[in-house]
Amino acid sequence: MKTIYKIARAELSLLFYSPIAWFLLVVFFFQCGMAFTGKLEVFLMDQHLGSALSSLTSRIYGMPVGILPDMAGKLYLYLPLLTMGLMSREINGGTIKLLYSSPIRVREIIFGKYLAMLLYNLVLTGILLLAAGCGVVVIQHAETGMLLSGLFGVYLLLCAYSAIGLFMSCLTSYQVVAALSTLVLLGILNYIGSLWQGIDFVRDLTYFLSINGRAGHMMQGLITTKDVLYFLVIVFIFLSFSIYRLQSDRESKPWMVKAARYAGIMAGALALGYISSRPGLIGYWDTTATKEKTLTNNSRKIVKELGDEPVEVTSYINLLDERFYYGIPEERNNDMARWEPYLRFKSNFSFKYVYFYDSTANKNMFKYNPGVTLDSMAKKYAWSMKRDLNKFRTPAEMHSLIDLRQEENRYVMQLKYKDRTTFLRLYNDPYVFPSETETDAALSRLMKAKLPKIAFVYGELERRIDNIGERHYKGLTNTISFRNSLINQGFDVESVSLKDQDIPADLSALVIADPKIELDTAAVAKLQRYITAGGNLLIAGEPGRQAILNPLLRPLGVQLMDGMLVQRSKDFAPDLIRPYLAPAAAGLTKVLAQRVKDSMVVSMNGAAALTYNTDGPFTIQPFVMTPAVLSWNKKIRLDQEQMDELADAQASGDGPVAAAAGRRNGAGSVKEQKIDSLQQGLVFSPEQGDQRGPLPVMLGLTRTINGKQQRIVVAGDADFLSNAELSRQNIRTCNFDLSTALFSWFSNGEFPIETYRPPSPDNRLLLNDTGLSFLKIVMLGVLPGLLLIMGSILLIRRKRK
């Protein structure tokens, strides 16, 4: 051991007596300071502008564009310059023969030189540690666990680079050749993970060998044994190669024996790495403050309830589907990465992939290829994507296996547990794949004997769940490509006609949305029996429906007020109100509690205010309230023609920015004057019975009956759940979160699965412009300058001696 230390000390002396080691330290320190202060400057400017900041530790230091991955990418170029002379210098100068003739073992030479590089790597990591320490000081509640995890990952990466560089230095007497060879090999190890990914067995080997992204998990705060062991295996492989390379110069053995040594080392290392990366054998340590790299408590509970029974996941992937690329064999490892949080707690998930071709909902496919048959189209797609069509099932073969026409033959996953199955879908949004919430819902459905069911009443021109029109509810209920749809959140939905059917007894809730004609006597009787029995109910009305709904609401102690709610605005029609969530709504879900805290609004296009009394059997709380200013209940409804005229003028206007510019210039456009004129006609008139807010527009009613809590929601608007309002882009609303919370409340929190995570605490910089300027001076001038002076003095003194 003493010999190893002596060799390491001598090698460190050589490193620090050469200009390159000091030069790289100074450059690395300066680049690190540039990256750190540059990130701080951007976020400090955002903070000055009032932008909401979050997850600052991850955004400044973590993946994919933080300081740690940025600097780790630069080290990829630096290390070969340091390792190129470790053994090449000995071979070129002839001193290797002296080492061979001395009583020093080859492995001691290798370990000593490698130990020197480990110590130099600590210096490089120390520079990053200094930047991380500054972050702990200037970021409020910085995530120190994530920072230390990331630094650990960078250090392991440097150790792997050093082992590779040491081996390449053993192969040649030319230092430049050693440096270039190291760069090439590092490039291969970064790129090999994308090679031959379409071949099952080779995919696992090449993916394991790839060094790309290995430290990335640690930079995000997740340390796994498979990543740590990967770096240890890489170090073991190349240190062993280095030892045998030097020993081969002193031995006279057949090349087959020498090759067998290398093959044995590689085979043993790969076997160890492969076994250590199998699900069930991997250890995890989530160092993040909110445990964001770990399944939530509810998710872990669901996985635990699955027990030891296996879950089979079969992906059905259509060649003609626009999502086909996500399911190609080359994407398998990415698919496994998406399932890894679940494999961490349950290793006996099995995965199958079935490829087929069949018609899709994309009608343009045949529109632009007139006269082409389905088979011909499949051949065309297979040829263009370089796929073997013989590996795809035909429509007839698929129909005999499973009928996916209800799923529009989209890429879909079927989950099977015991004798039950359910679908887990891909969605038409930027995230595409199911999140933890949708995955939990699918897994939970596999275990529940009774699933929550929501029934929507039809027959009196109510909102329909099978209609894509603006006023209807298909998006909310059963659009398979929309992740917030109830069927993707765990619910079953159906329609029921009170004229022809009885209300099912197993409902989680019944929805009556904006009936335009009165319910007949039989329907009213069914509804009253349902309420008396303790059934949950959502009744959503509209202005002008008071005569239809008030008789139904009277026994509940609620009434729709005469008239309609209006809200003065320069941008929207007066009947588009933006009420706020009331404090009582915060108790529905954790997500909605955050929305209440953020003062988010609900968009309601035409709404009636509500009145209620507290003398009845129900406890009544407002869920949504109109603002106290700019909004009131107008007893005499606005003329629809006038509202349409105002909305058209606003929609075709130049917008509030241009209008404000016009006013600053002392003149408004004719269009602006028209809007102002129309808005002036919208006046609060107590003489006509108008009433100012805040007024309730949604109420929650509860009572205990038949041993359970009955829950009823009454809303003065039915549009807040409509296709139009759920897809509204010009207002930041919480309609999605409110709809999800209401149905969660009806199902006693059974669905959707609560996967809420608290916001990150590191959401503010404890820094001002003066402090940033001081940091720039220190990080970009003082400290790199001190390093440069120290190096210069040491090198000058060394030269004089």
Side-chain angles (χ1 to χ4, degrees):
M1 205 66 180
K2 290 182 179 179
T3 304
I4 294 175
Y5 289 148
K6 289 179 180 180
I7 295 173
R9 183 177 179 182
E11 191 63 39
L12 274 176
S13 298
L14 288 173
L15 271 176
F16 284 102
Y17 285 145
S18 67
I20 190 168
W22 288 99
F23 176 74
L24 290 180
L25 281 178
V26 172
V27 171
F28 184 71
F29 204 125
F30 185 81
Q31 288 181 323
C32 184
M34 283 283 290
F36 177 59
T37 56
K39 291 283 184 183
L40 288 182
E41 188 170 16
V42 170
F43 288 112
L44 186 60
M45 181 177 64
D46 289 343
Q47 183 168 291
H48 287 335
L49 294 175
S51 300
L53 301 180
S54 63
S55 304
L56 283 176
T57 309
S58 176
R59 295 171 70 183
I60 293 175
Y61 293 94
M63 295 290 287
V65 293
I67 297 170
L68 294 182
D70 181 27
M71 301 314 296
K74 291 178 172 61
L75 291 171
Y76 167 82
L77 301 173
Y78 293 168
L79 263 293
L81 300 178
L82 296 169
T83 61
M84 65 183 182
L86 289 176
M87 291 307 304
S88 298
R89 183 175 56 249
E90 309 286 356
I91 298 171
N92 187 51
T95 53
I96 189 66
K97 295 179 181 179
L98 295 175
L99 291 173
Y100 284 160
S101 61
S102 65
I104 300 176
R105 298 175 181 176
V106 171
R107 65 172 177 267
E108 290 176 334
I109 299 172
I110 296 299
F111 290 159
K113 290 182 175 291
Y114 185 66
L115 178 59
M117 285 305 304
L118 294 185
L119 295 175
Y120 187 86
N121 292 342
L122 279 177
V123 177
L124 290 173
T125 309
I127 294 173
L128 292 173
L129 179 61
L130 179 61
C134 292
V136 171
V137 174
V138 302
I139 300 174
Q140 185 181 48
H141 305 303
E143 294 199 40
T144 54
M146 178 186 292
L147 290 173
L148 293 175
S149 171
L151 291 171
F152 180 55
V154 172
Y155 184 70
L156 288 178
L157 187 65
L158 289 173
C159 293
Y161 286 172
S162 299
I164 295 169
L166 176 57
F167 170 64
M168 301 311 293
S169 182
C170 292
L171 298 179
T172 177
S173 61
Y174 299 101
Q175 295 187 31
V176 175
V177 174
L180 292 176
S181 301
T182 303
L183 282 172
V184 170
L185 186 54
L186 291 177
I188 291 172
L189 287 177
N190 272 282
Y191 182 69
I192 197 172
S194 61
L195 297 177
W196 307 301
Q197 293 298 290
I199 306 171
D200 290 343
F201 177 71
V202 179
R203 179 193 308 118
D204 291 334
L205 290 180
T206 56
Y207 190 73
F208 168 75
L209 284 173
S210 175
I211 202 171
N212 185 31
R214 289 289 182 173
H217 295 144
M218 301 183 201
M219 293 176 192
Q220 296 177 47
L222 181 64
I223 300 175
T224 66
T225 55
K226 72 173 182 179
D227 288 334
V228 174
L229 282 173
Y230 169 81
F231 288 113
L232 297 180
V233 165
I234 291 295
V235 170
F236 168 76
I237 289 175
F238 286 99
L239 290 185
S240 300
F241 282 1
S242 300
I243 293 171
Y244 282 120
R245 172 66 185 87
L246 295 183
Q247 283 184 350
S248 65
D249 291 340
R250 307 175 63 182
E251 299 175 339
S252 179
K253 290 187 177 181
W255 68 269
M256 293 183 62
V257 175
K258 295 179 180 179
R261 286 176 174 176
Y262 291 108
I265 293 170
M266 180 63 74
L270 288 177
L272 175 62
Y274 182 81
I275 292 171
S276 66
S277 63
R278 294 300 88 193
L281 299 178
I282 305 173
Y284 296 85
W285 183 14
D286 187 349
T287 64
T288 59
T290 58
K291 303 301 177 187
E292 63 183 63
K293 302 303 176 185
T294 305
L295 293 178
T296 58
N297 290 334
N298 286 337
S299 301
R300 296 202 300 272
K301 181 180 177 182
I302 291 170
V303 173
K304 185 177 181 180
E305 290 173 354
L306 290 169
D308 297 328
E309 291 289 332
V311 176
E312 182 181 289
V313 181
T314 304
S315 297
Y316 294 99
I317 304 159
N318 187 356
L319 173 66
L320 304 182
D321 182 19
E322 61 186 10
R323 287 154 288 274
F324 171 73
Y325 173 79
Y326 295 110
I328 60 178
E330 290 83 350
E331 290 291 312
R332 293 281 173 82
N333 285 313
N334 290 332
D335 194 33
M336 290 298 98
R338 284 187 286 269
W339 282 98
E340 187 172 3
Y342 290 89
L343 291 168
R344 172 180 174 182
F345 297 99
K346 182 176 175 62
S347 59
N348 59 345
F349 279 84
S350 62
F351 300 89
K352 296 181 180 179
Y353 298 87
V354 177
Y355 294 91
F356 69 101
Y357 67 89
D358 205 341
S359 59
T360 68
N362 182 11
K363 303 304 181 184
N364 290 330
M365 182 185 300
F366 292 99
K367 177 181 178 181
Y368 298 117
N369 295 274
V372 177
T373 64
L374 185 63
D375 291 340
S376 299
M377 185 65 70
K379 290 178 182 177
K380 183 176 181 180
Y381 268 61
W383 175 82
S384 65
M385 297 181 182
K386 297 179 175 57
R387 304 290 162 181
D388 183 0
L389 192 60
N390 294 323
K391 295 182 179 180
F392 291 79
R393 295 175 183 262
T394 64
E397 291 171 336
M398 272 302 295
H399 295 166
S400 64
L401 175 66
I402 185 173
D403 189 354
L404 295 177
R405 282 173 286 191
Q406 290 295 323
E407 295 294 319
E408 299 177 0
N409 290 319
R410 295 161 54 92
Y411 179 169
V412 67
M413 291 170 278
Q414 185 188 58
L415 275 56
K416 183 177 181 181
Y417 174 75
K418 297 181 179 179
D419 59 343
R420 303 190 65 177
T421 62
T422 192
F423 285 120
L424 183 60
R425 304 173 177 92
L426 274 64
Y427 309 107
N428 293 348
D429 59 30
Y431 302 102
V432 180
F433 284 92
S435 69
E436 186 177 335
T437 302
E438 292 80 53
T439 305
D440 286 351
L443 292 173
S444 186
R445 283 178 63 89
L446 293 173
M447 296 183 289
K448 294 188 180 298
K450 179 185 176 183
L451 295 170
K453 185 189 298 182
I454 310 296
F456 291 77
V457 174
Y458 74 97
E460 290 78 27
L461 303 180
E462 292 94 345
R463 310 294 174 99
R464 298 295 301 267
I465 66 173
D466 55 359
N467 194 311
I468 62 173
E470 290 188 351
R471 64 186 297 272
H472 295 285
Y473 288 180
K474 184 171 178 60
L476 168 73
T477 56
N478 60 6
T479 299
I480 61 174
S481 60
F482 180 46
R483 72 173 64 243
N484 293 92
S485 221
L486 291 178
I487 60 168
N488 290 322
Q489 296 297 319
F491 293 93
D492 285 339
V493 297
E494 65 178 44
S495 297
V496 59
S497 171
L498 298 184
K499 294 179 180 178
D500 309 319
Q501 301 170 258
D502 289 331
I503 300 175
D506 59 345
L507 293 182
S508 293
L510 181 70
V511 179
I512 303 175
D514 188 23
K516 291 188 174 181
I517 58 177
E518 290 187 26
L519 281 70
D520 60 27
T521 305
V524 172
K526 293 176 183 178
L527 185 59
Q528 289 174 343
R529 286 196 298 271
Y530 175 79
I531 296 173
T532 302
N536 296 335
L537 181 66
L538 168 60
I539 299 179
E542 284 283 319
R545 309 286 189 266
Q546 287 87 344
I548 298 173
L549 290 177
N550 278 345
L552 299 176
L553 296 173
R554 190 168 291 110
L556 307 179
V558 179
Q559 292 284 276
L560 292 165
M561 293 177 63
D562 291 337
M564 66 181 298
L565 288 167
V566 294
Q567 185 168 343
R568 187 182 295 277
S569 170
K570 294 181 179 180
D571 301 312
F572 304 105
D575 60 338
L576 179 61
I577 64 167
R578 282 87 62 205
Y580 290 89
L581 294 171
L588 299 181
T589 63
K590 293 179 180 179
V591 173
L592 210 62
Q594 185 63 40
R595 301 298 177 263
V596 172
K597 183 178 178 181
D598 295 340
S599 301
M600 290 194 64
V601 301
V602 182
S603 63
M604 294 183 168
N605 193 4
L610 303 173
T611 60
Y612 63 96
N613 65 71
T614 57
D615 299 331
F618 290 94
T619 300
I620 303 177
Q621 298 183 93
F623 281 168
V624 179
M625 298 286 291
T626 62
V629 296
L630 300 179
S631 177
W632 64 91
N633 184 63
K634 194 159 188 62
K635 184 71 175 290
I636 300 176
R637 290 183 61 195
L638 291 176
D639 179 71
Q640 187 62 43
E641 183 177 343
Q642 187 180 20
M643 285 195 301
D644 291 341
E645 186 180 2
L646 176 57
D648 291 341
Q650 290 168 324
S652 60
D654 296 326
V657 176
R663 285 191 294 272
R664 286 195 301 269
N665 294 331
S669 67
V670 174
K671 199 169 295 183
E672 181 191 350
Q673 294 173 4
K674 180 178 180 181
I675 293 173
D676 289 342
S677 175
L678 292 169
Q679 287 281 9
Q680 289 172 6
L682 182 67
V683 294
F684 175 71
S685 177
E687 297 80 9
Q688 296 180 354
D690 292 359
Q691 184 176 340
R692 283 201 181 277
L695 297 170
V697 69
M698 183 183 297
L699 299 171
L701 291 69
T702 57
R703 68 173 175 177
T704 301
I705 186 171
N706 297 330
K708 68 163 191 169
Q709 187 181 67
Q710 182 180 21
R711 297 173 175 180
I712 297 175
V713 172
V714 180
D717 174 66
D719 288 315
F720 79 100
L721 297 175
S722 68
N723 298 328
E725 292 308 315
L726 292 181
S727 59
R728 182 179 287 276
Q729 300 293 323
N730 55 358
I731 307 176
R732 186 167 177 261
T733 70
C734 60
N735 289 47
F736 282 137
D737 298 319
L738 177 58
S739 64
T740 300
L742 291 178
F743 291 106
S744 173
W745 192 53
F746 286 138
S747 66
N748 296 309
E750 191 173 4
F751 288 107
I753 305 298
E754 181 69 74
T755 58
Y756 173 79
R757 297 175 188 274
S760 60
D762 51 339
N763 54 14
R764 184 169 181 80
L765 289 174
L766 306 175
L767 187 70
N768 54 27
D769 292 333
T770 303
L772 178 61
S773 298
F774 175 76
L775 269 180
K776 285 184 176 182
I777 293 171
V778 172
M779 298 291 288
L780 301 180
V782 176
L783 294 180
L786 288 175
L787 269 180
L788 184 61
I789 293 171
M790 286 175 57
S792 300
I793 292 173
L794 186 64
L795 292 173
I796 291 170
R797 291 183 61 184
R798 171 70 173 175
K799 187 175 182 180
R800 286 178 178 176
K801 289 182 180 181

